[in-house]
Amino acid sequence: MVRIKTPEEIEAMKPACQLAANTLIMIEEHIRPGISTDDINDIVHDYTVKHGAVPAPLNYRGFPKSVCTSVNHVVCHGIPGEKKLKNGDIINVDVTSILNGWHGDTSKTFFVGEPKPRAKKVTAVAKKALEIGISVTKPGATLGDIGHAIQSFVEGEKCSIVREYCGHGIGQVFHEDPQVLHYGKPGEGMVLKAGMVFTIEPMVNIGKAGIKLLNDGWTVVTRDKSLSAQFEHTLALHEYGVEILTTPSL
């Protein structure tokens, strides 16, 4: 069951979504060679709490940290730790804030120092893939339209789409229906309606699409150790079209 939000509920979500977006802006200045992913976690945690919110990942289904930090060939759900970032790395920082009972979920892939050509490529493709997915999101379109648009672009750029993880409905619950696949066929799947709120968050590999889950039960990596990048926004559908809720208020 997809939970349709009222216009008032969508307005109530905006502070959480804007806080998550502001968090990504704040953390960017800290992402440099020598910082550890644990340091990033602590900065995000403190910033979130300081603004009266709760970091949603902390203790979610046993996740031990306040943010996901996915470096280089880590696709998603990287657990912050002692690992220090190096010049040329890429890192996805995935932030979800709970404020006034509502969730805001967004992520961005950052360059650490000077990126290499393949890092630039996969990051640019992932960013554009999200933009293309958003561009076809409107009432009357289908989930398959979104997936097809993203898949066609990414594969046209000789990259691959991770299929095991997808966007999701969100609101007072972190993950709810619908599931938003980043591949598909036009015209297939659920028809989009005003009041739906969900994320689009394509994970793009520079190599093959294959992934594996590490023994920690969370960290997902590319099987071929190729670079992976991701961008994510929380979106709300209105009669007139789509609104990106995770736009910063700074």
Side-chain angles (χ1 to χ4, degrees), residues 44-63:
V44 167
H45 179 94
D46 292 347
Y47 183 87
T48 304
V49 172
K50 177 183 174 182
H51 287 83
V54 175
L58 185 60
N59 299 320
Y60 178 76
R61 297 181 179 176
F63 190 79

Side-chain angles (χ1 to χ4, degrees), residues 1-5 143 169 176-179 190-191 193-198:
M1 286 291 293
V2 175
R3 171 92 161 73
I4 299 295
K5 276 75 172 178
L143 290 175
E176 59 187 29
D177 288 334
Q179 293 192 12
M190 184 179 295
V191 176
K193 299 178 181 178
M196 288 183 173
V197 179
F198 54 79

